[in-house]
Amino acid sequence: DVKVTQSSRYLVKRTGEKVFLECVQDMDHENMFWYRQDPGLGLRLIYFSYDVKMKEKGDIPEGYSVSREKKERFSLILESASTNQTSMYLCASTMGGFSGNTIYFGEGSWLTVV
Amino acid sequence: GENVEQHPSTLSVQEGDSAVIKCTYSDSASNYFPWYKQELGKRPQLIIDIRSNVGEKKDQRIAVTLNKTAKHFSLHITETQPEDSAVYFCAASIRPGGGADGLTFGKGTHLIIQP
């Protein structure tokens, strides 16, 4: 069974704190993604990675960075959290290539910045 | 980049009736169009997808149609049931499965099934 695991489901952080959101997949997928989900705005791509140590900016990368030191793990980092980063964050992964592979999502991490 | 518009934002239908959700996309190179269902507090899950070489695909009560000329695609749910209540997202990508560029999502439709 496919599994994308986000270790923190609910977090409350203070403005200015550094925040790490961790995501692990057990399917040996090449591609991993971080999305942000907000009511009325859908899912917006923050960053993605198609290989270890590789990263690409998505549509809204400002205020975020990522790390992919191992194939199975993709971390989202908020260097200095702000209240407008209060949101639900979804990690996802998919096999590489052009064969029409499904994107699998994690359960989501609810972040509140106060 | 790709832009996906989704309508309506909220849709309320009587149980047993049909529901239709529509999406348009901007990039004519897009060739993969999945639909995701997200129940309250849960992760989005793929329910059906279609590629640009196909005009229609059906899976039991769910169907998706694609009009490449007009750059729009629609989700059709027939004989709706209470468990169909959820938020539905359409998406588009130039790479099947999203590839390394990810998917561009619509803003979602909250489908409410009235008993």
Side-chain angles (χ1 to χ4, degrees), chain B residues 44-109:
Chain B
Q45 294 203 301
L46 179 72
I47 55 171
I48 196 167
D49 58 11
I50 192 167
R51 292 176 178 75
S52 58
N53 58 349
V54 175
E56 183 174 357
K57 184 176 178 180
K58 193 171 181 181
D59 182 4
Q60 299 182 333
R61 297 187 296 109
I62 294 173
V64 57
T65 58
L66 172 65
N67 183 327
K68 285 172 56 182
T69 303
K71 289 191 282 188
H72 68 70
F73 56 112
S74 301
L75 177 71
H76 304 253
I77 306 174
T78 58
E79 301 171 16
T80 53
Q81 299 169 4
E83 54 265 36
D84 295 329
S85 293
V87 178
Y88 292 79
F89 293 97
C90 63
S93 173
I94 63 171
R95 299 175 190 267
D101 295 318
L103 292 166
T104 300
F105 285 87
K107 293 182 179 179
T109 296

Side-chain angles (χ1 to χ4, degrees), chain A residues 35 37 48 101 105-107, chain B residues 38 43 51 95 97 99-100 103:
Chain A
Y35 286 90
Q37 184 175 11
F48 63 95
N101 299 301
F105 285 92
E107 293 279 8
Chain B
Q38 187 178 29
R43 72 186 83 195
R51 292 176 178 75
R95 299 175 190 267
L103 292 166

Side-chain angles (χ1 to χ4, degrees), chain B residues 19-42:
Chain B
V20 180
I21 302 170
K22 299 181 180 182
C23 289
T24 60
Y25 60 97
S26 61
D27 190 340
S28 57
S30 289
N31 58 11
Y32 176 65
F33 307 93
W35 286 88
Y36 281 79
K37 175 183 180 181
Q38 187 178 29
E39 296 175 4
L40 187 64
K42 303 239 177 120

Side-chain angles (χ1 to χ4, degrees), chain A residues 41-106:
Chain A
L41 296 179
L43 284 75
R44 294 177 292 166
L45 183 63
I46 305 172
Y47 266 98
F48 63 95
S49 168
Y50 52 88
D51 202 351
V52 175
K53 296 193 185 294
M54 305 302 290
K55 60 184 179 184
E56 294 287 342
K57 292 180 179 179
D59 298 319
I60 51 165
E62 296 78 19
Y64 303 95
S65 61
V66 290
S67 173
R68 192 156 181 211
E69 296 297 318
K70 294 185 177 181
K71 189 176 185 180
E72 67 271 18
R73 188 180 297 270
F74 192 37
S75 303
L76 180 69
I77 304 156
L78 288 68
E79 293 289 341
S80 177
S82 63
T83 54
N84 63 11
Q85 293 178 309
T86 292
S87 187
M88 206 265 270
Y89 292 88
L90 282 164
C91 175
S93 73
T94 187
M95 198 182 301
F98 296 83
S99 56
N101 299 301
T102 302
I103 284 185
Y104 296 92
F105 285 92

